[in-house]
Each structure stands twice: as C-alpha cells, then as structure tokens.
Amino acid sequence: MYYFIVNYRGGNGRGQKVWKDVRSILEAESVPYHAWRTRGRGHAARLATEIIRRYSSKDVHVNLIVLGGDGTVNEVINGISDFDRVWLGVIPTGSGNDFARGLGLPTKPVPALMQILNCEKPTRVDLGWVKGDNQAPRMFGISAGIGLDAEVCKKALKSKQKRFLNRLGAGKLTYILLTIESLFTMKTRDGRVIYDGNLEDVLRVRKMIFLAGMNLRWEGGGVPMAPDADPFDGKISTCVAENIPKWKTFFELPILVMGKQKKLKGFTLKEGATLDIEMEEPVVLHVDGEYGGDVRRIHMEVLPGRLQLLMNGACCNCR
C-alpha cells in the first residue's frame, strides 16, 4: 500500500496535472493506494503525522509518498513521528526541486513514480536539525541558512515574479533575480560560527552576506552552495560569504552559480557535525526555503541516516 500526500499547488498548479497522470498509472497497474490533498500551509505535516499514526505498526512500515515541491517535502519530514516506520518517496513538482536534484532522484513524474514502485529497500539519508532562539526546532533535507539566501527565500514565498515565471516554466530565474535585488538592499551582520562545539575551531565573520548550512549540494533552484556536500557523511557543509563589497558580489554571483566559489576571497567552505552561530544582530533564518524567523543564535546539527528514502542505490551525484 502506498500513501500519497499531494500538493495541487506545487509548481504553481502543476501538481494537480501531475497527480492525474500518476493516479492513472496507479489505477492501470492496479497499485493499491490512498491519497490526501493538502489544504494549506502546515497541512502536509499534519497529514503525515496522522497517516503514520493510523497505518503503521511495530512490524509494518508506511510507504509515504510526497507529490509536491521542496516546501511540501520539508513539511512531511517534520510531520514524521517515527522514522523507523516510514519509507519516503518523492515525486517533485516544484519550481526548485533541490531535494530531488541533490539526491539524484528523477525530476520527471513517471520515472520518479516507477523508481518508487520498483524500490525494494530504502536508502538511509542524513537530515539536518536547526533551532534558532525561541523558535521551534525543525528538520531540513536540503539546507538551512541565514543572510542573503534566507532573505531571498522569504521574498520568494510572496513573489509575484515567481508565480509569473512558473507559468513560463522558468521558476528558477526567480531566485537569481531576487538574489541580485537583495544583494544591494540587505544589511550585513557580524558574528561567529563554532564548529563541533570546539571553541578553538571558531570562524569569526565580519559583514556576513550569507551562511548556508547544506545537507545537499544545491539550494535556491540549483545554486551549488556547497559543491562537496554529501548526504551520507554525517556532516553539514557550510558556505560563508563575508566582507565582500556589494558592487563586487554582483560580478561574483555567476562564479557562485557555477560552484567555483572556492577560488574567491571572502568565501569559506567548511563542514562539521554541529554548528553554533552567534550573530550580533538578528538575521533572517530559512529552513529548506521556508521562513524560520528572525534570530540571533542558531544551532544546527546533522541527524545521520535518519531518513529512509525510496531511491535506487546511493546518490548518483555524491558517489
């Protein structure tokens, strides 16, 4: 039995069409399934919790399938109450689909469905965990971050540009356009990052533009923030940009998009199992592209092998 959580609005309405195609295949192949449609923000998490409560048992796992974008995937992950009893599958329908991209999952609906149906044993994948100030903790599959990428994610949630470009099949341009805009309007901050709780391993940042804590390589619709990130290594990869003149960031943006930021002054790529971030002033936090509040202190850590994912073998982009 397969249990589907379906977001019709994924990809600005693309999810509804994809679900019709998926449902047709399921019925033609006589695959047993139940499906629920999300009704708004936070509903996918509640559905996941209820499905697991109702259908899992000590000896029976739940094949839980998400049909939606990265935001829906994040909600479902945060709604899973017992990861040992859930095998998760993803049919991506969003504008970014960085979760699928980062794990080498098919991004087209039919191949994604067939991989799920043909997978006999799930693959264990790391998740991230983040808590900022008095905010409730959340897990992430892709990334959590502060500064520019968080500002962009916050704006993208209400962006008219995103809705328009999604209709043209160019939703990824939203993040690039908003990034350029935010580069010249956001205020930079000072702070420090402590890796693995080691006070001798501290990165002090001045005029921070962004800090991205990455479980996967890409965020923001395909920007390779952490080219060496590996969701099987038990670590969070960070990319920090600081003390770079704003006029210069405009010219360095294409280099970041190509994943060549290691060569640039002002960029630091580093990894750790835990991160403690302390900023002198509040900054915007995002969790898998969802607004996570304005915070000053943030704790991140990796949850090794927490998620059981229906996929064929190891991540083709990481192995």
Side-chain angles (χ1 to χ4, degrees):
M1 180 68 71
Y2 294 87
Y3 302 93
F4 286 80
I5 294 177
V6 181
N7 182 0
Y8 275 15
R9 296 182 179 181
N12 201 40
R14 180 171 172 260
Q16 183 174 6
K17 179 183 183 302
V18 170
W19 171 241
K20 289 181 180 179
D21 295 339
V22 167
R23 184 176 58 192
S24 296
I25 295 173
L26 293 172
E27 293 175 353
E29 298 295 327
S30 299
V31 176
Y33 74 92
H34 290 300
W36 292 263
R37 176 185 170 186
T38 62
R39 300 293 179 179
R41 187 172 300 279
H43 192 209
R46 296 193 296 273
L47 284 172
T49 301
E50 179 60 22
I51 291 168
I52 295 163
R53 185 195 66 79
R54 184 182 302 180
Y55 296 107
S56 71
S57 68
K58 182 178 180 180
D59 301 316
V60 178
H61 71 269
V62 169
N63 292 309
L64 185 61
I65 316 303
V66 185
L67 192 150
D70 291 330
T72 308
V73 174
N74 178 267
E75 282 194 19
V76 170
I77 287 173
N78 280 279
I80 296 176
S81 54
D82 187 343
F83 283 89
D84 289 334
R85 298 184 184 181
V86 176
W87 292 8
L88 186 74
V90 174
I91 299 176
T93 63
S95 56
N97 296 327
D98 289 308
F99 185 84
R101 179 185 291 106
L103 287 160
L105 302 177
T107 56
K108 294 185 178 179
V110 173
L113 174 63
M114 298 314 297
Q115 180 176 103
I116 289 166
L117 298 179
N118 292 325
C119 184
E120 298 180 356
K121 184 179 179 181
T123 299
R124 289 273 185 178
V125 177
D126 296 346
L127 291 177
W129 184 95
V130 61
K131 186 179 189 310
D133 288 340
N134 296 319
Q135 303 290 326
R138 288 187 64 83
M139 288 176 283
F140 58 90
I142 303 166
S143 65
I146 56 175
L148 177 62
D149 55 336
E151 294 270 3
V152 169
C153 290
K154 183 178 179 180
K155 291 178 180 179
L157 294 176
K158 298 180 180 180
S159 172
K160 294 181 180 180
Q161 288 178 335
K162 183 177 180 180
R163 291 193 290 270
F164 174 72
L165 290 171
N166 278 345
R167 295 191 191 102
L168 300 179
K172 295 177 185 178
L173 288 176
T174 303
Y175 298 96
I176 296 176
L177 294 174
L178 289 176
T179 296
I180 294 171
E181 173 193 329
S182 300
L183 275 172
F184 295 99
T185 58
M186 66 171 289
K187 183 179 179 180
T188 56
R189 301 285 194 272
D190 296 346
R192 68 174 187 169
V193 186
I194 303 169
Y195 290 85
D196 295 325
N198 184 359
L199 292 176
E200 295 183 357
D201 190 7
V202 177
L203 175 65
R204 300 189 182 278
V205 294
R206 182 172 174 268
K207 295 183 179 180
M208 185 205 72
I209 298 172
F210 67 78
L211 184 153
M214 307 293 297
N215 185 46
L216 304 179
R217 293 182 179 183
W218 295 276
E219 70 171 18
V223 180
M225 287 289 199
D228 297 326
D230 184 341
F232 304 97
D233 66 357
K235 296 179 182 178
I236 295 172
S237 295
T238 62
C239 178
V240 183
E242 59 164 325
N243 203 24
I244 304 172
K246 288 189 176 181
W247 66 266
K248 190 175 181 181
T249 59
F250 180 80
F251 297 100
E252 292 185 346
L253 180 61
I255 300 175
L256 174 63
V257 172
M258 292 187 292
K260 304 295 185 181
Q261 61 268 39
K262 290 180 182 179
K263 301 178 181 180
L264 298 176
K265 183 179 179 180
F267 282 84
T268 301
L269 279 74
K270 192 175 174 64
E271 60 186 20
T274 68
L275 310 174
D276 287 285
I277 304 163
E278 301 172 356
M279 303 303 296
E280 292 186 357
E281 298 177 68
V283 292
V284 178
L285 169 69
H286 85 84
V287 185
D288 276 349
E290 302 295 314
Y291 176 59
D294 286 44
V295 298
R296 198 167 71 85
R297 290 184 172 88
I298 306 102
H299 175 78
M300 295 188 200
E301 61 184 75
V302 71
L303 305 174
R306 177 63 60 91
L307 182 65
Q308 298 189 84
L309 191 64
L310 291 167
M311 59 185 290
N312 290 333
C315 167
C316 67
N317 294 314
C318 302
R319 296 300 192 193

